[in-house]
Amino acid sequence: MTRWGKRIAIASIAVVALAAAAFFLFQRQIGEYLFERAVTERLGQPETTEQDDAIHVYMCGTGAPLADPERAGPCIGVVAGEHAFLFDVGSGSMRTAGRMGFPVADTEALFLTHLHSDHFDGLGELMVQAWVGGARSEPLPVVGPPGTIEVTDGFNAAYRIDAGYRTAHHGERVANPTGYGLAAREITLPEDTERGIVYDRDGVRITAFRVSHDPVDNPFGYRIDYAGRSIAISGDTTYDPNLVVAARGVDILFHEALDPEMVGSMQRAAERQGMEVGAKVLADIPAYHTPPDDAARAASEAGAGALVFYHMIPPLPSRLLHAYFLDGVREQYAGPVRLADDGLVIILPADSEEVRYRSGL
């Protein structure tokens, strides 16, 4: 090494040493600055950064009951114009929704597809966040199939003590007792009716339609129409011709999916390990979910502009598994296909054909 090279090396080491010493001596101050900057940036942002007139879809939870560290339980947030709604509220989804900027406090109503616990076990968090965060004066409406009243009554009772503490601590202006809790409304379609409008205001129309999830009673999917744009949410179902009719011509069909071959491999592994209960559950669940290729067939028959999978079974910890999960999909549907991740935001601007995707996390 030349003399100048040695001097440069010594100077570089000195600079690194000084930087390390400065960090060690001032790490608290550095941490304080970074924290305050992050808080200022986070609190300074509007809850939804897209201000154009559109349908905004927030994938708050794209997982299923099987443990998945990357995905919360099923939950889709929809902002249509000035109205905000949630469709199902699986475990962990409200924390994801908050990080995404979905206006949880302004949620106008929660719509439940059915009463399997993984579709409502985040309801306690939603209830408190929407109540205190929104300083509500009326309970949060929850719309769902018969049995929804029993579910909401249970949550109201379970959180009543907590609600009293919050009012005592924050005062009635923030935690107004009249705004505490959930107000259920049950959807009761006539026996011979496959779908019905459950919300119609300011150009936003929400239609509930029957799907097939036996032995679950009265499972629903939902279609949302606003400003010339539309989406449909399958809920849990097998392939169902009624979903095809209800989703006719939507811009995006959000469909659940279970890969029977992958779940079958899990079942056989459970049997080899002597896990009889787990093997039985894995043997049962394919009967009331939709294989990916059947979901693609439904999207094709409905003429949907795009197909987005959510509530995926089994968990897909690596993108290398996506092609395996989607095997056969392209043979059934030629349009755009996407496996949704938690945090995905999809924007459908009013009266156009544009579709925009961005990460909300």
Side-chain angles (χ1 to χ4, degrees):
M1 182 180 292
T2 66
R3 182 174 61 182
W4 283 107
K6 290 181 180 178
R7 289 179 178 178
I8 292 171
I10 292 170
S12 299
I13 293 171
V15 168
V16 171
L18 285 172
F23 178 78
F24 178 78
L25 291 172
F26 300 104
Q27 57 183 315
R28 183 194 178 281
Q29 290 86 343
I30 294 171
E32 181 181 0
Y33 167 76
L34 293 174
F35 179 75
E36 289 185 356
R37 179 179 175 180
V39 168
T40 300
E41 290 178 354
R42 178 70 182 120
L43 294 181
Q45 292 177 349
E47 285 196 288
T48 178
T49 58
E50 300 289 344
Q51 300 301 321
D52 52 338
D53 193 24
I55 294 179
H56 301 86
V57 183
Y58 294 75
M59 304 308 295
C60 316
T62 59
L66 298 178
D68 187 343
E70 301 299 323
R71 302 177 187 275
C75 173
I76 298 178
V78 175
V79 176
E82 298 181 353
H83 299 272
F85 310 96
L86 286 165
F87 295 84
D88 290 335
V89 58
S91 178
S93 61
M94 287 303 91
R95 302 183 187 196
T96 303
R99 291 170 57 210
M100 295 176 69
F102 177 80
V104 175
D106 296 327
T107 302
E108 190 167 328
L110 165 68
F111 291 85
L112 295 176
T113 59
H114 64 293
L115 301 181
H116 262 147
S117 60
D118 62 303
H119 289 256
F120 66 74
D121 51 14
L123 193 47
E125 284 195 81
L126 168 61
M127 178 171 63
V128 174
Q129 291 182 28
W131 172 45
V132 176
R136 288 178 181 267
S137 58
E138 295 181 353
L140 175 69
V142 178
V143 183
T148 299
I149 292 174
E150 182 178 348
V151 170
T152 56
D153 282 350
F155 275 91
N156 286 339
Y159 280 73
R160 188 162 288 113
I161 293 174
D162 172 82
Y165 294 150
R166 295 186 186 278
T167 300
H169 190 191
H170 302 299
E172 293 190 2
R173 188 177 66 84
V174 172
N176 186 343
T178 65
Y180 163 73
L182 308 167
R185 175 166 68 88
E186 296 184 344
I187 300 170
T188 53
L189 298 180
E191 288 282 335
D192 58 346
T193 303
E194 297 300 320
R195 51 200 162 271
I197 297 171
V198 293
Y199 181 96
D200 195 353
R201 188 180 306 163
D202 298 332
V204 182
R205 174 173 291 183
I206 301 175
T207 303
F209 55 88
R210 297 186 190 277
V211 293
S212 301
H213 196 46
D214 294 339
V216 174
D217 292 329
N218 298 296
F220 293 115
Y222 292 96
R223 175 177 176 138
I224 301 93
D225 289 89
Y226 174 72
R229 308 307 301 268
S230 57
I231 66 170
I233 299 169
S234 71
D236 283 8
T237 185
T238 57
Y239 168 83
D240 194 317
N242 187 51
L243 180 149
V244 171
V245 173
R248 188 82 69 196
V250 296
D251 291 289
I252 301 178
L253 171 60
F254 294 87
H255 207 298
E256 66 114 87
L258 177 149
D259 189 294
E261 185 175 338
M262 298 173 82
V263 171
S265 295
M266 296 170 67
Q267 176 197 345
R268 292 187 292 273
E271 288 173 344
R272 289 194 297 270
Q273 296 295 324
M275 302 169 63
E276 295 182 6
V277 173
K280 177 64 166 66
V281 171
L282 290 166
D284 291 342
I285 58 176
Y288 64 1
H289 288 287
T290 307
D293 58 343
D294 271 353
R297 176 161 65 104
S300 180
E301 292 173 354
L307 172 61
V308 174
F309 285 106
Y310 82 113
H311 195 279
M312 290 167 281
I313 305 172
L316 303 173
S318 169
R319 293 189 179 276
L320 295 175
L321 296 173
H322 287 191
Y324 184 18
F325 186 84
L326 293 172
D327 186 39
V329 165
R330 275 296 168 216
E331 285 75 13
Q332 297 292 338
Y333 178 68
V337 175
R338 187 165 187 145
L339 296 177
D341 295 312
D342 283 17
L344 176 66
V345 180
I346 306 171
I347 302 101
L348 306 174
D351 301 314
S352 77
E353 297 182 357
E354 182 184 6
V355 179
R356 301 201 302 264
Y357 297 87
R358 68 170 175 84
S359 174
L361 296 178

